Amino acid sequence: MSRSNRERTEQTKQALIDAGRRIFVEKGYAETATPEIVAAAGVTRGALYHHFEDKKALFQAVIKCEAQDVAKAIEASSAPKQGPRAALIAGASAYFAAMGQPGRTQLLLMEAPAVLGLPAAAALDAENAEKSLREGLAAFLPEAGALLDPLTSLLSAAFDRAAIAIDAGGDRRDYERAIAVLLDGLADHLRR
């Protein structure tokens, strides 16, 4: 395939992902029809099915892009010179900021588990934001040992609940402070 064909192929795929995202946010997965996505992307129905098996596969691609964007925002927030606690706090702030992108909380935390199933949604999170959290906790709480995985899972759930609350109008600063309290409490308990 020539470079220009590859570029057109990628542009078409990205146009479908972008259009799908907009419509999934606007209408929700269940109420979105593929002809709407095709029209919004300015491509043919055949192009949709060339790139994606079905609407669910397109939705999964949208979710994967969203999860990767959140992980990139978290990674960009942590400078190597920061200590582990500061890096976790910066990562929390970056997570909440990234989840503030309109529609992202809805897509990642509400629609993805319902459409893709909880195991598939959790696997995407484990490859992205939760991976950063696990690495940060391992550096901050080396004494966690066998508790590292359950602590990561529980704190990830706390982050997600906070993002939902912030999306519903909660004060982001309050949730950032609450995350710091949770982290400090864990550290105090594990270091006794």
Side-chain angles (χ1 to χ4, degrees):
M1 185 184 302
S2 73
R3 181 179 165 97
S4 61
N5 282 345
R6 268 197 312 273
E7 288 172 354
R8 279 196 299 278
T9 297
E10 281 306 309
Q11 287 173 347
T12 299
K13 186 176 181 180
Q14 192 60 52
L16 285 162
I17 290 171
D18 293 345
R21 184 197 192 284
R22 279 192 311 276
I23 298 170
F24 291 138
V25 168
E26 180 184 317
K27 299 179 92 175
Y29 176 83
E31 298 300 317
T32 297
T34 55
E36 295 172 276
I37 296 169
V38 167
V43 301
T44 65
R45 194 169 174 88
L48 171 67
Y49 293 111
H50 172 75
H51 292 286
F52 303 101
E53 180 180 338
D54 54 17
K55 180 175 83 166
K56 186 175 179 180
L58 171 60
F59 182 77
Q60 187 168 9
V62 168
I63 296 304
K64 184 176 180 180
C65 288
E66 292 294 308
Q68 289 171 342
D69 287 349
V70 171
K72 288 175 192 166
I74 293 167
E75 292 301 318
S77 74
S78 301
K81 65 183 181 284
Q82 294 176 322
R85 182 186 182 279
L88 280 166
I89 300 299
S93 182
Y95 174 77
F96 294 141
M99 292 303 286
Q101 176 76 22
R104 188 168 276 160
T105 298
Q106 171 195 338
L107 289 171
L108 288 176
L109 302 182
M110 291 176 246
E111 296 261 7
V115 174
L116 303 176
L118 194 53
L124 273 171
D125 189 34
E127 295 169 12
N128 292 287
E130 193 172 289
K131 179 181 175 202
S132 296
L133 177 59
R134 186 182 194 290
E135 291 167 358
L137 286 174
F140 180 57
L141 302 170
E143 52 280 297
L147 291 178
L148 182 61
D149 287 338
L151 286 172
T152 301
S153 181
L154 289 169
L155 280 172
S156 180
F159 275 83
D160 292 348
R161 287 299 301 241
I164 291 169
I166 293 165
D167 191 58
D171 187 334
R172 182 176 142 189
R173 292 170 304 216
D174 289 344
Y175 287 94
E176 288 178 1
R177 286 193 296 270
I179 291 292
V181 168
L182 283 174
L183 291 171
D184 292 340
L186 280 172
D188 289 347
H189 180 78
L190 289 173
R191 291 175 182 151
R192 280 189 211 155

